[in-house]
Amino acid sequence: MLRPAWVPTGLRSHLSRRCMPLEYRTRQSFEASLSMIYRRVGSSPASVPPRCLASTTHIKTALLPLNKQLEATHQQLLPDAEDAVDTATKISRAQQILNHEFQNEELLWEALQTPGSNVPMLGGRALTQGNKRLASLGDAVATMIIKHECYVMNYSIGETSDFVQRVVNNPRLISLCNEAGLTACINRNPSQRGIVSPQTLADTIEAVIGAVYLDGGINKARSTMKLLRII
């Protein structure tokens, strides 16, 4: 229900001349009378005194377009507010999972985008392919870290290649994404009704590695890979 203070000035003046008893001359008295009528508007006609019936009917008719306008505005603004809360929640949850507080949260949010999400651009970067560009970087970073570990352990070139394939293959990355809880943080494509493809799950693991690398450096990326049990 609209509050009396929200009624436009023109309507207040009209109501004061047409709908209010003459003794309500002051602004305070007018507000009090208008509040009384608003409370009675929702009542059945039988409960409204005859002297107020015409006034309440006139007010309801006059305010109908304004009510519709406010309702339409509310419907337009509400999704944006919900999106903002959803974004903050997902970013916060992902940071907890990764045990890393991002200096640039846009990098993490980019890593959580599916192709066709409702975020077409972020930080001046087009996200037409979602997190795939960041996933490509993360894949390179992960491969470099794994190969470095293999070098330290004196693996041969063949052994290193085999180890890389075992560690960063898609089925394993998909499983790790679900186990870590990152799947719930993904910003999904609205047209896919909440469904996330297996490839997107694998890309997300690699993308968050790329995001952590850009935000915190190679050592932090290595720690994240260990935390996610990639290595």
Side-chain angles (χ1 to χ4, degrees):
M1 182 179 295
L2 294 172
R3 294 179 179 275
W6 295 350
V7 180
T9 303
L11 181 58
R12 288 173 180 272
S13 177
H14 178 74
L15 292 176
S16 64
R17 294 193 303 270
R18 297 288 301 276
C19 303
M20 292 294 129
L22 294 178
E23 63 268 27
Y24 293 120
R25 296 295 189 181
T26 66
R27 180 182 180 88
Q28 183 178 5
S29 296
F30 173 72
E31 295 286 356
S33 180
L34 187 58
S35 296
M36 176 195 71
I37 291 178
Y38 268 98
R39 289 194 298 270
R40 293 180 181 274
V41 164
S43 305
S44 62
S47 65
V48 181
R51 64 185 177 85
C52 293
L53 185 58
S55 297
T56 57
T57 302
H58 181 78
I59 289 174
K60 290 174 69 175
T61 302
L63 292 180
L64 184 60
L66 183 58
N67 280 327
K68 290 183 176 180
Q69 181 180 359
L70 288 172
E71 182 178 356
T73 302
H74 174 72
Q75 292 299 327
Q76 292 174 357
L77 294 178
L78 186 58
D80 292 338
E82 290 178 344
D83 287 345
V85 172
D86 191 49
T87 298
T89 300
K90 288 179 175 179
I91 290 176
S92 176
R93 176 58 180 155
Q95 289 187 124
Q96 291 176 3
I97 293 171
L98 301 173
N99 193 29
H100 176 65
E101 185 173 349
F102 278 74
Q103 298 299 314
N104 183 1
E105 291 185 349
E106 287 185 349
L107 291 171
L108 177 57
W109 191 227
E110 179 179 346
L112 299 173
Q113 302 302 312
T114 61
S117 73
N118 57 355
V119 182
M121 183 168 289
L122 197 61
R125 300 179 298 279
L127 303 184
T128 54
Q129 295 180 299
N131 61 9
K132 286 186 177 296
R133 292 176 63 245
L134 200 51
S136 178
L137 173 62
D139 176 63
V141 171
T143 300
M144 180 182 66
I145 291 173
I146 293 169
K147 287 187 175 182
H148 179 264
E149 296 290 332
C150 290
Y151 177 81
V152 172
M153 292 185 291
N154 202 29
Y155 281 16
S156 68
I157 293 177
E159 290 172 332
T160 298
S161 296
D162 290 342
F163 189 73
V164 170
Q165 290 298 321
R166 290 200 308 269
V167 169
V168 293
N169 63 80
N170 277 359
R172 184 166 185 268
L173 294 179
I174 292 168
S175 177
L176 291 175
C177 186
N178 287 324
E179 290 174 8
L182 284 171
T183 302
C185 301
I186 294 174
N187 189 40
R188 309 180 182 197
N189 185 335
S191 66
Q192 294 180 349
R193 299 181 179 181
I195 298 174
V196 180
S197 70
Q199 184 60 54
T200 297
L201 298 180
D203 288 342
T204 299
I205 281 283
E206 294 177 331
V208 296
I209 294 171
V212 171
Y213 166 72
L214 291 175
D215 192 73
I218 191 68
N219 290 330
K220 190 61 183 179
R222 180 183 288 104
S223 298
T224 299
M225 290 178 64
K226 292 180 178 179
L227 181 65
L228 296 175
R229 298 193 296 112
I230 297 174
I231 56 176

PDB file of all heavy atoms in Angstrom, residues 108-134:
ATOM      1  N   LEU A 108      38.110 -13.168 -10.627  1.00  0.00           N
ATOM      2  CA  LEU A 108      37.403 -14.353 -10.144  1.00  0.00           C
ATOM      3  C   LEU A 108      36.029 -14.454 -10.786  1.00  0.00           C
ATOM      4  O   LEU A 108      35.613 -15.543 -11.194  1.00  0.00           O
ATOM      5  CB  LEU A 108      37.278 -14.311  -8.622  1.00  0.00           C
ATOM      6  CG  LEU A 108      36.481 -15.454  -7.975  1.00  0.00           C
ATOM      7  CD1 LEU A 108      37.071 -16.807  -8.343  1.00  0.00           C
ATOM      8  CD2 LEU A 108      36.421 -15.274  -6.467  1.00  0.00           C
ATOM      9  N   TRP A 109      35.325 -13.334 -10.873  1.00  0.00           N
ATOM     10  CA  TRP A 109      33.991 -13.349 -11.467  1.00  0.00           C
ATOM     11  C   TRP A 109      34.058 -13.754 -12.940  1.00  0.00           C
ATOM     12  O   TRP A 109      33.183 -14.464 -13.433  1.00  0.00           O
ATOM     13  CB  TRP A 109      33.341 -11.986 -11.302  1.00  0.00           C
ATOM     14  CG  TRP A 109      31.874 -11.919 -11.635  1.00  0.00           C
ATOM     15  CD1 TRP A 109      31.259 -10.984 -12.408  1.00  0.00           C
ATOM     16  CD2 TRP A 109      30.830 -12.802 -11.187  1.00  0.00           C
ATOM     17  NE1 TRP A 109      29.920 -11.226 -12.481  1.00  0.00           N
ATOM     18  CE2 TRP A 109      29.624 -12.338 -11.738  1.00  0.00           C
ATOM     19  CE3 TRP A 109      30.807 -13.934 -10.387  1.00  0.00           C
ATOM     20  CZ2 TRP A 109      28.403 -12.970 -11.512  1.00  0.00           C
ATOM     21  CZ3 TRP A 109      29.601 -14.572 -10.162  1.00  0.00           C
ATOM     22  CH2 TRP A 109      28.408 -14.093 -10.724  1.00  0.00           C
ATOM     23  N   GLU A 110      35.094 -13.325 -13.635  1.00  0.00           N
ATOM     24  CA  GLU A 110      35.289 -13.762 -15.017  1.00  0.00           C
ATOM     25  C   GLU A 110      35.499 -15.273 -15.088  1.00  0.00           C
ATOM     26  O   GLU A 110      34.987 -15.946 -15.984  1.00  0.00           O
ATOM     27  CB  GLU A 110      36.481 -13.048 -15.650  1.00  0.00           C
ATOM     28  CG  GLU A 110      36.761 -13.466 -17.083  1.00  0.00           C
ATOM     29  CD  GLU A 110      37.943 -12.739 -17.705  1.00  0.00           C
ATOM     30  OE1 GLU A 110      38.395 -11.723 -17.122  1.00  0.00           O
ATOM     31  OE2 GLU A 110      38.415 -13.174 -18.768  1.00  0.00           O
ATOM     32  N   ALA A 111      36.252 -15.812 -14.132  1.00  0.00           N
ATOM     33  CA  ALA A 111      36.530 -17.250 -14.119  1.00  0.00           C
ATOM     34  C   ALA A 111      35.273 -18.076 -13.878  1.00  0.00           C
ATOM     35  O   ALA A 111      35.255 -19.271 -14.178  1.00  0.00           O
ATOM     36  CB  ALA A 111      37.571 -17.571 -13.047  1.00  0.00           C
ATOM     37  N   LEU A 112      34.226 -17.457 -13.367  1.00  0.00           N
ATOM     38  CA  LEU A 112      32.993 -18.186 -13.037  1.00  0.00           C
ATOM     39  C   LEU A 112      31.905 -18.021 -14.088  1.00  0.00           C
ATOM     40  O   LEU A 112      30.756 -18.431 -13.861  1.00  0.00           O
ATOM     41  CB  LEU A 112      32.470 -17.712 -11.673  1.00  0.00           C
ATOM     42  CG  LEU A 112      33.404 -17.946 -10.482  1.00  0.00           C
ATOM     43  CD1 LEU A 112      32.841 -17.283  -9.225  1.00  0.00           C
ATOM     44  CD2 LEU A 112      33.626 -19.438 -10.242  1.00  0.00           C
ATOM     45  N   GLN A 113      32.235 -17.444 -15.227  1.00  0.00           N
ATOM     46  CA  GLN A 113      31.238 -17.192 -16.271  1.00  0.00           C
ATOM     47  C   GLN A 113      31.143 -18.343 -17.264  1.00  0.00           C
ATOM     48  O   GLN A 113      32.158 -18.819 -17.775  1.00  0.00           O
ATOM     49  CB  GLN A 113      31.572 -15.905 -17.035  1.00  0.00           C
ATOM     50  CG  GLN A 113      31.666 -14.653 -16.188  1.00  0.00           C
ATOM     51  CD  GLN A 113      30.393 -14.372 -15.420  1.00  0.00           C
ATOM     52  OE1 GLN A 113      29.294 -14.413 -15.975  1.00  0.00           O
ATOM     53  NE2 GLN A 113      30.546 -14.076 -14.134  1.00  0.00           N
ATOM     54  N   THR A 114      29.919 -18.772 -17.535  1.00  0.00           N
ATOM     55  CA  THR A 114      29.695 -19.727 -18.624  1.00  0.00           C
ATOM     56  C   THR A 114      29.530 -18.946 -19.922  1.00  0.00           C
ATOM     57  O   THR A 114      29.163 -17.774 -19.905  1.00  0.00           O
ATOM     58  CB  THR A 114      28.428 -20.551 -18.386  1.00  0.00           C
ATOM     59  OG1 THR A 114      27.299 -19.661 -18.338  1.00  0.00           O
ATOM     60  CG2 THR A 114      28.504 -21.327 -17.106  1.00  0.00           C
ATOM     61  N   PRO A 115      29.782 -19.570 -21.071  1.00  0.00           N
ATOM     62  CA  PRO A 115      29.466 -18.912 -22.345  1.00  0.00           C
ATOM     63  C   PRO A 115      27.978 -18.574 -22.407  1.00  0.00           C
ATOM     64  O   PRO A 115      27.130 -19.405 -22.083  1.00  0.00           O
ATOM     65  CB  PRO A 115      29.848 -19.971 -23.390  1.00  0.00           C
ATOM     66  CG  PRO A 115      30.885 -20.812 -22.705  1.00  0.00           C
ATOM     67  CD  PRO A 115      30.465 -20.870 -21.263  1.00  0.00           C
ATOM     68  N   GLY A 116      27.668 -17.342 -22.770  1.00  0.00           N
ATOM     69  CA  GLY A 116      26.273 -16.923 -22.852  1.00  0.00           C
ATOM     70  C   GLY A 116      25.675 -16.472 -21.541  1.00  0.00           C
ATOM     71  O   GLY A 116      24.457 -16.341 -21.426  1.00  0.00           O
ATOM     72  N   SER A 117      26.511 -16.225 -20.533  1.00  0.00           N
ATOM     73  CA  SER A 117      25.983 -15.722 -19.261  1.00  0.00           C
ATOM     74  C   SER A 117      25.495 -14.294 -19.443  1.00  0.00           C
ATOM     75  O   SER A 117      25.651 -13.691 -20.504  1.00  0.00           O
ATOM     76  CB  SER A 117      27.063 -15.787 -18.172  1.00  0.00           C
ATOM     77  OG  SER A 117      28.046 -14.779 -18.381  1.00  0.00           O
ATOM     78  N   ASN A 118      24.923 -13.737 -18.365  1.00  0.00           N
ATOM     79  CA  ASN A 118      24.399 -12.375 -18.441  1.00  0.00           C
ATOM     80  C   ASN A 118      25.467 -11.319 -18.181  1.00  0.00           C
ATOM     81  O   ASN A 118      25.148 -10.178 -17.868  1.00  0.00           O
ATOM     82  CB  ASN A 118      23.249 -12.205 -17.441  1.00  0.00           C
ATOM     83  CG  ASN A 118      23.673 -12.529 -16.012  1.00  0.00           C
ATOM     84  OD1 ASN A 118      24.802 -12.967 -15.769  1.00  0.00           O
ATOM     85  ND2 ASN A 118      22.780 -12.326 -15.064  1.00  0.00           N
ATOM     86  N   VAL A 119      26.744 -11.688 -18.300  1.00  0.00           N
ATOM     87  CA  VAL A 119      27.850 -10.734 -18.142  1.00  0.00           C
ATOM     88  C   VAL A 119      28.647 -10.726 -19.445  1.00  0.00           C
ATOM     89  O   VAL A 119      29.589 -11.496 -19.612  1.00  0.00           O
ATOM     90  CB  VAL A 119      28.763 -11.123 -16.957  1.00  0.00           C
ATOM     91  CG1 VAL A 119      29.869 -10.089 -16.771  1.00  0.00           C
ATOM     92  CG2 VAL A 119      27.948 -11.258 -15.672  1.00  0.00           C
ATOM     93  N   PRO A 120      28.275  -9.864 -20.392  1.00  0.00           N
ATOM     94  CA  PRO A 120      28.947  -9.861 -21.696  1.00  0.00           C
ATOM     95  C   PRO A 120      30.318  -9.209 -21.677  1.00  0.00           C
ATOM     96  O   PRO A 120      31.137  -9.457 -22.564  1.00  0.00           O
ATOM     97  CB  PRO A 120      27.984  -9.074 -22.583  1.00  0.00           C
ATOM     98  CG  PRO A 120      27.285  -8.149 -21.631  1.00  0.00           C
ATOM     99  CD  PRO A 120      27.148  -8.911 -20.348  1.00  0.00           C
ATOM    100  N   MET A 121      30.579  -8.364 -20.679  1.00  0.00           N
ATOM    101  CA  MET A 121      31.863  -7.658 -20.610  1.00  0.00           C
ATOM    102  C   MET A 121      32.229  -7.416 -19.156  1.00  0.00           C
ATOM    103  O   MET A 121      31.357  -7.183 -18.313  1.00  0.00           O
ATOM    104  CB  MET A 121      31.799  -6.341 -21.377  1.00  0.00           C
ATOM    105  CG  MET A 121      33.100  -5.569 -21.417  1.00  0.00           C
ATOM    106  SD  MET A 121      33.077  -4.199 -22.607  1.00  0.00           S
ATOM    107  CE  MET A 121      33.094  -5.118 -24.154  1.00  0.00           C
ATOM    108  N   LEU A 122      33.530  -7.473 -18.869  1.00  0.00           N
ATOM    109  CA  LEU A 122      33.994  -7.288 -17.500  1.00  0.00           C
ATOM    110  C   LEU A 122      35.404  -6.710 -17.542  1.00  0.00           C
ATOM    111  O   LEU A 122      36.292  -7.277 -18.181  1.00  0.00           O
ATOM    112  CB  LEU A 122      33.988  -8.622 -16.763  1.00  0.00           C
ATOM    113  CG  LEU A 122      34.061  -8.603 -15.231  1.00  0.00           C
ATOM    114  CD1 LEU A 122      32.862  -7.863 -14.646  1.00  0.00           C
ATOM    115  CD2 LEU A 122      34.102 -10.023 -14.684  1.00  0.00           C
ATOM    116  N   GLY A 123      35.587  -5.564 -16.873  1.00  0.00           N
ATOM    117  CA  GLY A 123      36.909  -4.943 -16.850  1.00  0.00           C
ATOM    118  C   GLY A 123      37.433  -4.586 -18.222  1.00  0.00           C
ATOM    119  O   GLY A 123      38.645  -4.627 -18.462  1.00  0.00           O
ATOM    120  N   GLY A 124      36.522  -4.248 -19.133  1.00  0.00           N
ATOM    121  CA  GLY A 124      36.924  -3.915 -20.491  1.00  0.00           C
ATOM    122  C   GLY A 124      37.202  -5.128 -21.366  1.00  0.00           C
ATOM    123  O   GLY A 124      37.593  -4.985 -22.524  1.00  0.00           O
ATOM    124  N   ARG A 125      36.991  -6.339 -20.851  1.00  0.00           N
ATOM    125  CA  ARG A 125      37.245  -7.559 -21.608  1.00  0.00           C
ATOM    126  C   ARG A 125      35.914  -8.182 -22.038  1.00  0.00           C
ATOM    127  O   ARG A 125      35.031  -8.395 -21.205  1.00  0.00           O
ATOM    128  CB  ARG A 125      38.035  -8.569 -20.761  1.00  0.00           C
ATOM    129  CG  ARG A 125      39.378  -8.050 -20.293  1.00  0.00           C
ATOM    130  CD  ARG A 125      40.102  -9.092 -19.436  1.00  0.00           C
ATOM    131  NE  ARG A 125      39.383  -9.444 -18.228  1.00  0.00           N
ATOM    132  CZ  ARG A 125      39.398  -8.732 -17.108  1.00  0.00           C
ATOM    133  NH1 ARG A 125      40.113  -7.615 -17.045  1.00  0.00           N
ATOM    134  NH2 ARG A 125      38.729  -9.129 -16.038  1.00  0.00           N
ATOM    135  N   ALA A 126      35.785  -8.480 -23.317  1.00  0.00           N
ATOM    136  CA  ALA A 126      34.574  -9.127 -23.820  1.00  0.00           C
ATOM    137  C   ALA A 126      34.552 -10.582 -23.376  1.00  0.00           C
ATOM    138  O   ALA A 126      35.554 -11.289 -23.478  1.00  0.00           O
ATOM    139  CB  ALA A 126      34.530  -9.034 -25.345  1.00  0.00           C
ATOM    140  N   LEU A 127      33.387 -11.016 -22.882  1.00  0.00           N
ATOM    141  CA  LEU A 127      33.254 -12.390 -22.378  1.00  0.00           C
ATOM    142  C   LEU A 127      32.277 -13.179 -23.248  1.00  0.00           C
ATOM    143  O   LEU A 127      31.435 -13.926 -22.739  1.00  0.00           O
ATOM    144  CB  LEU A 127      32.770 -12.376 -20.923  1.00  0.00           C
ATOM    145  CG  LEU A 127      33.624 -11.598 -19.928  1.00  0.00           C
ATOM    146  CD1 LEU A 127      33.067 -11.753 -18.521  1.00  0.00           C
ATOM    147  CD2 LEU A 127      35.074 -12.050 -19.972  1.00  0.00           C
ATOM    148  N   THR A 128      32.399 -13.021 -24.550  1.00  0.00           N
ATOM    149  CA  THR A 128      31.508 -13.729 -25.459  1.00  0.00           C
ATOM    150  C   THR A 128      31.659 -15.238 -25.330  1.00  0.00           C
ATOM    151  O   THR A 128      30.729 -15.989 -25.618  1.00  0.00           O
ATOM    152  CB  THR A 128      31.777 -13.316 -26.906  1.00  0.00           C
ATOM    153  OG1 THR A 128      33.171 -13.499 -27.205  1.00  0.00           O
ATOM    154  CG2 THR A 128      31.419 -11.850 -27.118  1.00  0.00           C
ATOM    155  N   GLN A 129      32.820 -15.694 -24.901  1.00  0.00           N
ATOM    156  CA  GLN A 129      33.060 -17.125 -24.696  1.00  0.00           C
ATOM    157  C   GLN A 129      33.123 -17.491 -23.215  1.00  0.00           C
ATOM    158  O   GLN A 129      33.672 -18.530 -22.844  1.00  0.00           O
ATOM    159  CB  GLN A 129      34.357 -17.545 -25.387  1.00  0.00           C
ATOM    160  CG  GLN A 129      34.314 -17.419 -26.906  1.00  0.00           C
ATOM    161  CD  GLN A 129      35.621 -17.842 -27.545  1.00  0.00           C
ATOM    162  OE1 GLN A 129      36.685 -17.269 -27.296  1.00  0.00           O
ATOM    163  NE2 GLN A 129      35.553 -18.869 -28.370  1.00  0.00           N
ATOM    164  N   GLY A 130      32.572 -16.648 -22.381  1.00  0.00           N
ATOM    165  CA  GLY A 130      32.579 -16.914 -20.946  1.00  0.00           C
ATOM    166  C   GLY A 130      33.996 -16.910 -20.389  1.00  0.00           C
ATOM    167  O   GLY A 130      34.764 -15.985 -20.606  1.00  0.00           O
ATOM    168  N   ASN A 131      34.347 -17.971 -19.665  1.00  0.00           N
ATOM    169  CA  ASN A 131      35.657 -18.031 -19.000  1.00  0.00           C
ATOM    170  C   ASN A 131      36.722 -18.757 -19.820  1.00  0.00           C
ATOM    171  O   ASN A 131      37.796 -19.081 -19.305  1.00  0.00           O
ATOM    172  CB  ASN A 131      35.518 -18.717 -17.637  1.00  0.00           C
ATOM    173  CG  ASN A 131      35.008 -20.153 -17.773  1.00  0.00           C
ATOM    174  OD1 ASN A 131      34.906 -20.701 -18.859  1.00  0.00           O
ATOM    175  ND2 ASN A 131      34.687 -20.762 -16.638  1.00  0.00           N
ATOM    176  N   LYS A 132      36.448 -19.019 -21.103  1.00  0.00           N
ATOM    177  CA  LYS A 132      37.352 -19.850 -21.898  1.00  0.00           C
ATOM    178  C   LYS A 132      38.739 -19.224 -22.096  1.00  0.00           C
ATOM    179  O   LYS A 132      39.747 -19.941 -22.089  1.00  0.00           O
ATOM    180  CB  LYS A 132      36.715 -20.172 -23.254  1.00  0.00           C
ATOM    181  CG  LYS A 132      35.598 -21.208 -23.162  1.00  0.00           C
ATOM    182  CD  LYS A 132      35.105 -21.608 -24.530  1.00  0.00           C
ATOM    183  CE  LYS A 132      34.047 -22.699 -24.434  1.00  0.00           C
ATOM    184  NZ  LYS A 132      34.600 -23.956 -23.868  1.00  0.00           N
ATOM    185  N   ARG A 133      38.805 -17.913 -22.276  1.00  0.00           N
ATOM    186  CA  ARG A 133      40.111 -17.279 -22.445  1.00  0.00           C
ATOM    187  C   ARG A 133      40.944 -17.412 -21.174  1.00  0.00           C
ATOM    188  O   ARG A 133      42.147 -17.704 -21.220  1.00  0.00           O
ATOM    189  CB  ARG A 133      39.950 -15.807 -22.832  1.00  0.00           C
ATOM    190  CG  ARG A 133      39.373 -15.592 -24.216  1.00  0.00           C
ATOM    191  CD  ARG A 133      39.146 -14.128 -24.533  1.00  0.00           C
ATOM    192  NE  ARG A 133      40.398 -13.376 -24.537  1.00  0.00           N
ATOM    193  CZ  ARG A 133      40.695 -12.410 -23.672  1.00  0.00           C
ATOM    194  NH1 ARG A 133      39.850 -12.092 -22.718  1.00  0.00           N
ATOM    195  NH2 ARG A 133      41.829 -11.772 -23.765  1.00  0.00           N
ATOM    196  N   LEU A 134      40.301 -17.206 -20.041  1.00  0.00           N
ATOM    197  CA  LEU A 134      40.997 -17.338 -18.765  1.00  0.00           C
ATOM    198  C   LEU A 134      41.340 -18.805 -18.498  1.00  0.00           C
ATOM    199  O   LEU A 134      42.389 -19.108 -17.901  1.00  0.00           O
ATOM    200  CB  LEU A 134      40.125 -16.775 -17.644  1.00  0.00           C
ATOM    201  CG  LEU A 134      40.819 -16.374 -16.325  1.00  0.00           C
ATOM    202  CD1 LEU A 134      41.994 -15.463 -16.579  1.00  0.00           C
ATOM    203  CD2 LEU A 134      39.814 -15.708 -15.403  1.00  0.00           C
TER     204      LEU A 134
END
